[in-house]
Amino acid sequence: MPKRKGITVSRQIMDSQQTHPEATGELTGLLSELIVAAKIISAEVNMAGLAGILGQSGKTNVQGEEVQKLDDFANRTLKRRMEQCGYVCIMGSEEDDGVIPVLDGYEGKYTLAFDPLDGSSNIDVNVSIGTIFSVHRRKSEGKQGEMSDLLQKGSEQVAAGYIIYGSSTVLVYTTGHGDGVHGFTLDPSVGEFFLSHPDITIPEKAKYYSVNEAYSRYWHDDTTAYIDKLKDMDEQGERSYSLRYIGSLVADFHRNLIQGGVFLYPRDKKSTDKPDGKLRLLYEAAPLAMIAEEAGGMAITDDGRRILDIEPKDLHQRVALVIGSRDEVALAEEYFKKG
Ligand code: AHG
Ligand code: MN
Ligand code: MN
């Protein structure tokens, strides 16, 4: 069915459910509950300066990072809505050390991993932040789900997406299998997401590269060689690149998805405590990789492996990420596979 700009996200999810005769409506239900949580978080983000919810919560999360009050709010909102929606059996969050069970009697057939609020350093300064989510079908057969249900490869995701709280609030999601990537903009006056970006395809050639260049002295030689190559191509007039780096993965990714770009968070020589880079596989890299591939782009590690093929071993596992336009990630692959 052709996508019509302006249809609501609920209508779009139901339409696409109808193209899958085996669908039971549970994924539709799950996504609808997530969308309600996103609207609540969006409203709070917009009011944050007035509601006294900026700043740090005083807590430190499992990864040793300061938890902001809004991180905490987003995490609690998502957990509270999803633990009793009846569609998930277990959850994992950046802000919780272990797995998050659902309420007794509400176990469903999916799992949910999420980064409640991505881009913490931008929360207090009105720069775009977002929520990232990843959905898998459960494997275990008990009542509650298990850790192993969450530790599945990205290629097995049944849905993935993010909500960006920026100049407007935009939801981008995919259910894979050629169903496409679609973007919806929240009209806050009526509290509804309307289709604004049907069938998103990422430009094949990048306009931007996005990397924290302040760390360049710690980069491995392959990373340096690749970025030098991009700059050289620019100098030779083959391409015309600009650097854009917000420091919110979700915002950097969204810009590159719409306008064409490659985002890198490579390993570096300095981080002995983070030998695999900073970003997390299950609720940052894998869901965005699913969107990138479904939109015609690519996502690999800085040693040339496809993100979606990585077998997770840990809920909070980190992974180096190179993601975005096909031509630029394919070029990165040539550099990184050599290493
Ligand atoms: P989070 O706020 O969920 O902890 O994630 C922050 C991440 C990501 O959004 C961003 O790309 C990256 O941190 C920026 O890190 P640097 O400041 O090291 O560049
Ligand atoms: Mn994050
Ligand atoms: Mn976060």
Side-chain angles (χ1 to χ4, degrees):
M1 203 180 286
K3 312 285 178 312
R4 287 160 293 120
K5 271 197 178 181
I7 67 164
T8 63
V9 67
S10 340
R11 177 64 204 275
Q12 157 75 20
I13 294 171
M14 281 189 291
D15 282 356
S16 83
Q17 184 193 321
Q18 274 160 14
T19 63
H20 295 275
E22 73 291 355
T24 57
E26 285 168 82
L27 185 59
T28 302
L30 190 164
L31 293 172
S32 305
E33 287 294 331
L34 256 178
I35 289 164
V36 176
K39 287 182 199 170
I40 297 170
I41 298 168
S42 177
E44 196 72 11
V45 166
N46 288 334
M47 286 295 290
L50 298 172
I53 196 171
L54 292 180
Q56 293 175 0
S57 67
K59 292 185 226 165
T60 309
N61 71 12
V62 49
Q63 338 213 9
E65 298 157 347
E66 301 278 2
V67 179
Q68 307 279 320
K69 288 183 195 161
L70 266 179
D71 280 327
D72 212 22
F73 176 86
N75 194 36
R76 281 186 285 115
T77 302
L78 281 159
K79 288 197 289 186
R80 212 175 292 142
R81 286 219 72 82
M82 303 314 290
E83 70 182 1
Q84 52 181 331
C85 72
Y87 304 117
V88 297
C89 61
I90 197 142
M91 297 182 279
S93 161
E94 181 198 354
E95 304 300 348
D96 284 75
D97 190 358
V99 296
I100 304 158
V102 302
L103 295 190
D104 202 26
Y106 286 86
E107 299 84 1
K109 68 174 183 190
Y110 292 105
T111 74
L112 179 66
F114 53 88
D115 179 349
L117 219 46
D118 174 67
S120 293
S121 70
N122 287 318
I123 289 178
D124 284 359
V125 289
N126 286 58
V127 176
S128 302
I129 48 183
T131 298
I132 310 175
F133 64 90
S134 162
V135 180
H136 280 94
R137 198 168 281 114
R138 73 178 294 175
K139 289 261 162 86
S140 68
E141 284 172 2
K143 206 165 170 242
Q144 283 278 342
E146 295 168 8
M147 176 69 95
S148 60
D149 294 315
L150 283 162
L151 299 183
Q152 297 188 54
K153 286 195 289 194
S155 57
E156 285 161 2
Q157 290 172 106
V158 294
Y162 59 85
I163 301 96
I164 176 166
Y165 314 108
S167 52
S168 50
T169 295
V170 173
L171 159 73
V172 173
Y173 84 97
T174 184
T175 46
H177 306 295
D179 285 350
V181 176
H182 310 292
F184 301 80
T185 302
L186 180 65
D187 178 342
S189 63
V190 293
E192 188 60 83
F193 279 100
F194 295 102
L195 183 60
S196 49
H197 300 72
D199 291 309
I200 298 173
T201 51
I202 184 165
E204 282 170 27
K205 297 180 192 351
K207 196 165 161 187
Y208 300 115
Y209 69 90
S210 311
V211 65
N212 192 333
E213 202 134 18
Y215 304 150
S216 60
R217 64 192 180 283
Y218 303 119
W219 287 347
H220 289 282
D221 294 346
D222 300 339
T223 309
T224 307
Y226 171 62
I227 296 292
D228 283 350
K229 173 70 182 172
L230 294 184
K231 288 178 181 166
D232 190 47
M233 285 161 75
D234 198 4
E235 205 173 302
Q236 305 303 320
E238 289 172 48
R239 294 280 166 90
S240 175
Y241 293 109
S242 269
L243 169 70
R244 291 282 188 282
Y245 190 75
I246 296 171
S248 290
L249 169 66
V250 79
D252 279 308
F253 177 80
H254 184 68
R255 181 204 50 248
N256 292 353
L257 177 69
I258 305 295
Q259 300 199 327
V262 55
F263 172 96
L264 287 86
Y265 206 112
R267 288 168 296 167
D268 62 41
K269 294 180 197 159
K270 185 185 163 210
S271 310
T272 42
D273 57 331
K274 292 174 190 161
D276 296 315
K278 178 180 184 185
L279 301 174
R280 278 59 54 110
L281 176 61
L282 284 179
Y283 44 81
E284 292 180 319
L288 298 187
M290 182 178 185
I291 291 177
E293 288 201 5
E294 185 72 19
M298 287 174 69
I300 61 170
T301 60
D302 66 358
D303 55 10
R305 288 171 297 149
R306 181 179 176 233
I307 293 285
L308 294 181
D309 286 337
I310 299 175
E311 204 68 74
K313 301 208 163 31
D314 184 82
L315 192 53
H316 301 290
Q317 177 172 339
R318 295 177 194 267
V319 69
L321 178 65
V322 184
I323 188 166
S325 290
R326 204 191 54 209
D327 284 5
E328 274 68 19
V329 182
L331 179 66
E333 197 176 25
E334 286 173 30
Y335 278 78
F336 297 142
K337 273 201 166 144
K338 280 191 284 187

